[in-house]
Amino acid sequence: MKDRHSTCEVEWLKYMKRNVSGLSTGKPYFILENFKPQSILLALVPEEEISDWETNLNSLGQFFGAPSVYAYHSADKFQKLSILKSLSNNKSGIVVASKEIFYEKIIHSKNLHNQILKFELGNTYEFNSLINRLVTAGYSRSEFVEEKGQFSRRGEILDIWSIDAENPVRIIFYNDQVETIKTFDLVTQLSSDVITSCEITPAALQPETLISDYLPKSSEIYFDFLPDNETPKIFAEYSWIINNSLETNKVQEDFKSFAGIRGNFQFFVNELKRIKKEGLKEYIFCSNNGEKERIEDILNEAGWDDDFPQLTITPLTEGFYSKSRKIAFFSSQEILYKKKLISFPKFKEGRRLEGLWEITKGDYVVHEKYGIGRYLGLNKLVRGDQEAEYLFIEYKGGDKLYVPVDDFEVVKKYIGTEGYRPKLFSLDTASWERIKQKAKEGAREFAESLLKLYAERHNAQGFAFTPDTPWEKELADSFPYQETPDQAKAIEDVKIDLKNPYPMERIICGDVGFGKTEVAIRASFKVVQDSKQVAVLVPTTVLAEQHFNTFSRRLEPFPTKVAFLSRFQSKAEQKKIISDLKSGSIDIIIGTHRLLQKDITFKDLGLLIIDEEHRFGVEQKEKIKKFKKNIDVLLMSATPIPRTLSFALSKLRDLSVIETPPYGRLPIETHLGPYDEKIVKKIIEAELSRGGQVFYVHNRVETINSRGEYLKKLVPNIRWGIVHGQMRSHDIEKAMWLFIHKEIDVLISTSIIESGLDIPTVNSMIVEEAENFGLAQLYQLRGRVGREKQKAYCYLFYTPELVTEESSKRLEALMEFSELGSGFRLALRDLEIRGAGNILSAKQHGFVKEIGFEMYGRLIEEASQSLKGEKAVKEEFKTIMDFLIPAHIPQEYVEAEDIRVTFYRKLAASKNKDDIEKIKSDLTDRFGKLPKPVENLFEITEIKFIAEKRRINSIVENDKFINIYFSDKIAISQAKILEIANTFAGKIEFLRGEKKGIKVIKSNIEKPYFAFLKDFLSSL
């Protein structure tokens, strides 16, 4: 074996390391040149460079027949298994991994194939053994499939998301035989494409063998590091990509980088001219169309009169050239940006929320007719053959109210004021009606003042910005993610506002990391296009710096000056920035409340962006009010304060909600419990063992250093650092730099980290004394982890004896809303816990306490409609339905109560037969064939639609008759009565006495009566 590892080869490796170090694209090109089709080549590189290697191999692969490229990340178990399956099947491709791949125990190739589950139409499977096989293969059972590696069974429906599949599948059985296979959408949980078969790859690595089990002896190895003494022993049986035959003609060859371009457009143009003169073929790699168009602009502006280089839409991290090969590759990342960009994941829609005003057991609710009660869940009532579910509400004195689920709309969640427990009303409606009337008068008074205030803003003279410029399109095209539908709508909403002739005031409400900043960047760039300035106001220096970096990076290709201002800068730096602001040479200024001080003046301010408004104090908010006059304002928050949110919900401000998570983002697994140092030790060790880092939140500056010493004893050999608000700016930056560059394992900090930090390798967070944090704070803190594709964990530790009722509700709410995109709904819960805030006078507060914010807000809206002369929405007619048959969604059909409530809500809100068919289709798709009680529920709802159109008060079934009672508003002519009597002779009789109506004789019509009732009611 010695000839394979000759001195010359080791020298060549040293040569490559010395001369191509940092030239990430030259090395992949060399690999591709030496790759033999139908073989396996293993490129061993540092773990942190695997993603770049994958990008560059795929982009450059177009020149070499596009071989398969597999990125084997050490912490991604599912990706590893997917690659192992591909290798065992194809035995061909380039695998990029760290050298640790050779030390890790993995599943044996034979076992991997034996555990693959194949489903085909018509095949029969025994369900219990099937479930056992899935569990053995590493799949976890869940109520609904939302992540790879999960499965869910509901009757004869089996949902599974294979670890290597793009979409989950829904397999529908009939008597253990596969009847249908479909993919389904995580957003709606509804099925889509029909397929004929699918494979489920094992989800457990099962430590049995080494990677050598998957690599043929002909496999070749490339090292991107100097081999140590162990290297020849480990890789002895494989060929090295560098061998003796390469010595004479390769050692003298090298790849050269374009050192010095990095955002210097003129340098790029000069290099391009030089390369062209030397006869090299030039290619420019762009990440997207926006970058391509911008580079074409640069060449045109430079007076380029020759043929353009070939521009291709595929990313390359760094350019290089080779004279002997007569090639030159330029990267848009070097041409347009001063700093190297990180790799970006793609966006994909995640699961949406079912609704915003959910109620859960124990919540206070407001019934339109009976007032405030306590919701105690769904109750099934049985009367003879009749079975139905009702909303069970408890009132004063233990009185009970059972509300039919088709009356869902008359019940709303109670939201009052902080620290106030509402009194329960009795079922005697007199006191409730008195309070409602008083509140109505107060609402009108309040609406008058609000309309005056907002009319003043709409009548104010603003600036109507011009239509989009070509550069705006280029900026949009250069966005490194795919816009989510919510994000695209928010961007469009803001553009429409900016084009209006009166000042904008819009709130962008979106979860942490869901793309609010990009909305702000697009808005800012639009404003700058019309030669106006933008001020971005943020609560902390750390967040300001992150925004400055993000804005600078996105706008770097364009002639836009972005600056940053904070009190930590030297006086000379601040003076220069202030002067440039006044002269107009700065287009966008990003800063903390330093921007609110008297010495700050603008040449022409057009837009104010406020991030996390609730973090500013009363004095600062007063200054912001003066700032906002006659200019456009954009507010951004993941959890808006109740005051801001309540205005938005009252339609007094414009609101855009972004609730769609990025592709690959997993929900943050949140744990809650009393502090336990043994658990803390395990958490830290587990995260470090997978190559990650930890945020440790200790919110006491006076004891934060001793906490570091304590952790050092608890987990020896960890490297820890400290960050808190009383440190000097330079020391904070230094600690953060060390942490970002993985020279610190555990960062102990105060809540200073809750805004602005985006570090993909930090995927565990420990929070001490969580009971002392606000809900919005905890939500923001938790959002600092889980920013990439790694599963993230947040551990909230509390001190049991210090937990108040209110802090307990905050912590429970955070646990409840652990899914992605829940920031908006969490804000509503925050509104419930903290109350409606100080948007109202003391008098108005009283009304909110007595009838709840939702109802009072509706009264305000009705009052404002009346004052504006708008027609009030007519109250819908309701028909009471009472049939002696089971009509509900059985628990054994849909187990989760909140999902049953959701479908009841949808049914109650439906307007026509098409709506009913859609709900029926959704239920069938997700839970299987409809049981008889559900079919009855749909039939009764359809009859209800017809009855309400004809002003029928109620339809009540007893042992012999179905009584149909007319309302006073219904008028039937004598001729019509005679026609009905003749058409339905022997089947109906007219009711005598006070109640007008008709009784249907059950013995004379066919069961289950639904068809007859539809025909009869339609004839009225």
Side-chain angles (χ1 to χ4, degrees), residues 385-403:
D385 291 334
Q386 183 191 51
E387 287 182 41
E389 281 196 300
Y390 294 79
L391 301 175
F392 175 28
I393 305 174
E394 182 184 46
Y395 280 85
K396 186 178 179 181
D399 289 350
K400 296 176 177 63
L401 179 68
Y402 294 94
V403 181

Side-chain angles (χ1 to χ4, degrees), residues 32 361 499 505 602 627 646 686 747 817 884 895 943 967:
L32 287 160
K361 288 180 184 177
K499 291 171 187 175
E505 186 158 348
F602 294 84
F627 220 131
S646 55
L747 186 69
F817 300 128
L884 299 179
E895 187 176 349
I943 291 170
S967 74

Side-chain angles (χ1 to χ4, degrees), residues 911-947:
K911 302 296 180 189
N912 51 49
K913 189 175 179 179
D914 288 345
D915 289 348
I916 290 178
E917 289 302 320
K918 176 68 169 66
I919 298 165
K920 192 186 294 185
S921 172
D922 290 357
L923 259 178
T924 306
D925 189 10
R926 290 176 65 174
F927 301 97
K929 186 180 177 183
L930 299 177
K932 192 63 179 175
V934 183
E935 288 182 349
N936 292 340
L937 183 64
F938 283 117
E939 292 282 8
I940 290 169
T941 304
E942 193 176 334
I943 291 170
K944 190 171 187 281
F945 286 150
I946 303 169

Side-chain angles (χ1 to χ4, degrees), residues 341 392 443 499 524 657 889 934 994:
L341 300 184
F392 175 28
K499 291 171 187 175
S524 300
V657 180
I889 303 173
V934 183
E994 292 181 16

Side-chain angles (χ1 to χ4, degrees), residues 873-992:
V873 178
K874 288 183 180 178
E875 188 176 338
E876 292 183 0
F877 190 90
K878 293 281 185 184
T879 301
I880 295 169
M881 311 290 284
D882 189 0
F883 284 86
L884 299 179
I885 55 172
H888 65 288
I889 303 173
Q891 186 173 353
E892 57 270 23
Y893 180 60
V894 178
E895 187 176 349
E897 183 173 295
D898 63 327
I899 301 296
R900 296 207 305 281
V901 168
T902 295
F903 276 99
Y904 284 135
R905 182 203 298 271
K906 288 178 178 178
L907 206 54
S910 59
K911 302 296 180 189
N912 51 49
K913 189 175 179 179
D914 288 345
D915 289 348
I916 290 178
E917 289 302 320
K918 176 68 169 66
I919 298 165
K920 192 186 294 185
S921 172
D922 290 357
L923 259 178
T924 306
D925 189 10
R926 290 176 65 174
F927 301 97
K929 186 180 177 183
L930 299 177
K932 192 63 179 175
V934 183
E935 288 182 349
N936 292 340
L937 183 64
F938 283 117
E939 292 282 8
I940 290 169
T941 304
E942 193 176 334
I943 291 170
K944 190 171 187 281
F945 286 150
I946 303 169
E948 286 174 346
K949 283 181 181 177
R950 283 150 183 80
R951 292 295 193 264
I952 304 295
N953 263 346
S954 59
I955 301 177
V956 180
E957 180 184 6
N958 58 36
D959 290 343
K960 294 182 178 180
F961 305 107
I962 299 172
N963 294 322
I964 301 172
Y965 297 105
F966 298 156
S967 74
D968 294 334
K969 297 178 182 179
I970 193 171
I972 304 177
S973 67
Q974 192 67 32
K976 188 69 176 175
I977 290 173
L978 288 172
E979 181 189 328
I980 292 169
N982 289 329
T983 305
F984 300 100
K987 297 179 179 178
I988 65 163
E989 291 179 8
F990 286 90
L991 291 169
R992 302 177 184 277

Side-chain angles (χ1 to χ4, degrees), residues 139-157:
Y139 282 77
S140 60
R141 188 167 187 169
S142 61
E143 192 174 2
F144 297 103
V145 169
E146 296 179 290
E147 300 175 20
K148 289 185 177 183
Q150 289 183 336
F151 75 93
S152 170
R153 180 190 174 182
R154 297 182 299 283
E156 291 199 307
I157 292 178

Side-chain angles (χ1 to χ4, degrees), residues 5-270:
H5 310 293
S6 65
T7 305
C8 115
E9 290 168 342
V10 174
E11 288 303 315
W12 165 245
L13 286 168
K14 290 179 180 177
Y15 178 84
M16 288 289 290
K17 189 71 179 176
R18 184 172 64 251
N19 289 281
V20 197
S21 179
L23 188 59
S24 56
T25 43
K27 292 180 280 188
Y29 190 92
F30 175 78
I31 294 297
L32 287 160
E33 277 186 324
N34 288 277
F35 174 68
K36 297 170 186 173
Q38 309 307 315
S39 69
I40 292 177
L41 191 157
L42 186 59
L44 301 177
V45 306
E47 176 74 30
E48 63 272 15
E49 293 181 16
I50 290 176
S51 293
D52 279 354
W53 271 80
E54 180 187 21
T55 297
N56 295 326
L57 283 168
N58 278 320
S59 295
L60 294 167
Q62 62 185 294
F63 299 99
F64 299 94
S68 298
V69 177
Y70 306 106
Y72 195 95
H73 293 275
S74 64
D76 195 330
K77 179 179 71 172
F78 292 168
Q79 188 182 40
K80 289 177 185 176
L81 285 159
S82 175
I83 292 170
L84 293 175
K85 180 183 171 185
S86 297
L87 290 178
S88 61
N89 287 333
N90 303 326
K91 300 291 184 186
S92 174
I94 300 173
V95 180
V96 188
S98 64
K99 67 177 179 181
E100 279 68 32
I101 190 174
F102 271 91
Y103 300 94
E104 182 184 22
K105 291 274 190 176
I106 51 177
I107 186 172
H108 197 282
S109 58
K110 288 182 181 177
N111 287 341
L112 186 148
H113 278 282
N114 290 338
Q115 289 184 24
I116 290 174
L117 266 169
K118 295 181 180 178
F119 292 94
E120 293 183 347
L121 293 178
N123 284 6
T124 301
Y125 302 83
E126 201 280 311
F127 244 113
N128 288 333
S129 62
L130 189 58
I131 299 302
N132 289 336
R133 283 190 68 183
L134 283 169
V135 172
T136 302
Y139 282 77
S140 60
R141 188 167 187 169
S142 61
E143 192 174 2
F144 297 103
V145 169
E146 296 179 290
E147 300 175 20
K148 289 185 177 183
Q150 289 183 336
F151 75 93
S152 170
R153 180 190 174 182
R154 297 182 299 283
E156 291 199 307
I157 292 178
L158 184 65
D159 287 353
I160 319 174
W161 196 353
S162 181
I163 60 158
D164 56 348
E166 186 176 347
N167 295 301
V169 292
R170 177 161 294 154
I171 306 166
I172 302 166
F173 293 81
Y174 181 73
N175 291 336
D176 288 347
Q177 189 177 57
V178 176
E179 188 178 65
T180 313
I181 307 174
K182 298 178 179 180
T183 59
F184 70 91
D185 190 334
L186 291 175
V187 179
T188 61
Q189 289 285 306
L190 299 177
S191 61
S192 48
D193 298 332
V194 178
I195 54 178
T196 57
S197 64
C198 65
E199 279 191 355
I200 308 300
T201 302
L205 275 172
Q206 298 174 356
E208 298 168 339
T209 187
L210 295 170
I211 191 66
S212 53
D213 182 37
Y214 291 83
L215 298 178
K217 296 296 182 284
S218 59
S219 301
E220 292 191 307
I221 310 287
Y222 167 77
F223 300 93
D224 193 46
F225 54 87
L226 290 178
D228 52 33
N229 293 332
E230 293 298 310
T231 301
K233 297 176 187 175
I234 300 167
F235 309 118
E237 58 189 280
Y238 303 105
S239 300
W240 290 18
I241 192 172
I242 311 300
N243 55 53
N244 289 331
S245 65
L246 295 172
E247 180 186 354
T248 56
N249 62 348
K250 296 291 183 184
V251 173
Q252 300 304 317
E253 175 56 42
D254 91 41
F255 300 92
K256 296 184 178 178
S257 63
F258 295 107
I261 291 183
R262 283 286 167 210
N264 187 326
F265 298 163
Q266 188 57 55
F267 189 88
F268 156 62
V269 173
N270 292 342

